[in-house]
Each structure stands twice: as C-alpha cells, then as structure tokens.
Amino acid sequence: MKVTAEHNERVAKMKFSSVYPHYVTKVEKKGRSIAELHQVIEWLTGYGENRLQDFIEGDATFKTFFEEATLNPNAHLIKGVICGYRIEEIDNPLTRQVRYLDKLVEELARGRKMEKILR
C-alpha cells in the first residue's frame, strides 16, 4: 500500500492526546500495563514520565510530538506491517515514526517480551 501526501498530512495533524487513549485501551485489554506502554514510548522518543504527561494532557500534534523527540538510534530496526503499511517502505519520516510507535504498541498488546520490543 502506497502512502499518499494526504495521508501524511492527516497523520501530522493528529493530536497525540486523542490517539493515546486508544493505545491504553489496546494494551490494557490484553493484560499489559500503562507503565509498560510508557516504557515503550520512552524507549522510542526519550520522553520521561513528566514530559510524556504534558503530551497526554496537551494538544500537540504528532508532528510536534516527534519533532521534539530524541528518537532511539535502534528505531530503524522496527520492521513489519502496521495498518496495512510496510514500515520500512514508508518514505515520509514523520509517518514512519508514527508507525514505529503503532508497531511497538501492537507488539506490547500481543504479549511480546519487553526485551524484544525494546530492540
């Protein structure tokens, strides 16, 4: 599936705080904790608990969320298909970063061991 410019723009404008509750629901439904979710987000972005809480309560877009992040140097090792897109084939850096996060949340919800998620 090819990522379009319109799709990239829509992803950039999405608010992190509007998507975060869906991440929580997904992981808790599968018996994982919010603390584990935060650990995964911190690994990818470098955000500590306080900074992450600012994003959860604020109205920052994914564009802002990832512009201010310090992406983990091993993030490029996140591969596979998420939301119908092969991550390693996504050209737009921001869309790829959002899909990295989606993939990590999916792996957490599926019960993958934390050591494997945090490559």
Side-chain angles (χ1 to χ4, degrees):
M1 200 183 294
K2 186 76 175 145
V3 178
T4 64
E6 293 80 20
H7 178 265
N8 289 334
E9 188 66 27
R10 192 170 64 246
V11 167
K13 290 181 178 178
M14 280 192 308
K15 305 262 190 227
F16 176 79
S17 60
S18 68
V19 177
Y20 175 79
H22 299 287
Y23 292 153
V24 171
T25 301
K26 185 173 192 161
V27 300
E28 285 186 331
K29 191 187 300 184
K30 299 293 185 166
R32 301 304 286 259
S33 69
I34 292 176
E36 289 173 308
L37 173 62
H38 288 191
Q39 183 180 358
V40 165
I41 295 171
E42 181 177 349
W43 177 87
L44 180 64
T45 63
Y47 293 135
E49 194 63 38
N50 292 337
R51 187 69 178 121
L52 181 57
Q53 201 61 41
D54 291 342
F55 284 110
I56 293 167
E57 295 170 1
D59 64 347
T61 62
F62 269 114
K63 182 176 192 229
T64 302
F65 182 80
F66 279 105
E67 279 178 346
E68 296 179 12
T70 304
L71 209 63
N72 188 295
N74 288 337
H76 71 280
L77 299 175
I78 303 169
K79 303 205 183 292
V81 176
I82 187 74
C83 302
Y85 298 98
R86 179 155 291 285
I87 295 172
E88 52 271 30
E89 294 175 1
I90 298 173
D91 294 333
N92 183 284
L94 175 62
T95 302
R96 187 174 46 250
Q97 291 168 353
V98 171
R99 295 304 177 204
Y100 284 161
L101 180 55
D102 291 342
K103 185 67 174 177
L104 293 177
V105 171
E106 179 184 86
E107 289 177 354
L108 181 64
R110 288 192 172 177
R112 193 165 192 202
K113 292 183 177 177
M114 195 60 83
E115 306 84 56
K116 295 207 178 214
I117 295 171
L118 308 181
R119 296 153 170 81

